[in-house]
């Protein structure tokens, strides 16, 4: 499956961002943080700590794909 990541990849400290992996119907999802802890088993991930996150999507068979993204947490608002 092909993965499309939707949502903002940055947020301000004290807030959060929600991202979504979209790979189509009938797909299994698993998000992991940089320490390889499973943080979500749905297509949607809400992040309140910046860092690197990896989503694994699989179609239930032997076909699986990973995509890694970096979420930036800003301590200051830039205008």
């Amino acid at each position: 499956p092909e993965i499309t990541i939707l949502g903002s990849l940055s947020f301000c400290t004290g807030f959060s961002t929600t991202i979504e992996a979209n790979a189509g119907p009938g797909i299994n999802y698993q998000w992991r943080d940089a320490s390889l802890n499973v943080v979500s088993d749905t297509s949607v991930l809400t992040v309140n700590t910046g860092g690197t996150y990896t989503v694994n999507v699989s179609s239930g068979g032997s076909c699986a794909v990973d995509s890694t993204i970096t979420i930036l947490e800003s301590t200051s608002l830039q205008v």
Side-chain angles (χ1 to χ4, degrees), residues 19-65:
I19 54 176
E20 180 178 5
N22 186 351
I27 300 295
N28 300 312
Y29 298 88
Q30 187 175 74
W31 287 95
R32 293 182 179 269
D33 63 15
S35 298
L36 302 180
N37 298 309
V38 175
V39 292
S40 177
D41 60 0
T42 69
S43 63
V44 177
L45 175 66
T46 299
V47 175
N48 57 17
T49 302
T52 302
Y53 295 86
T54 300
V55 62
N56 174 271
V57 298
S58 64
S59 59
S62 60
C63 183
V65 178

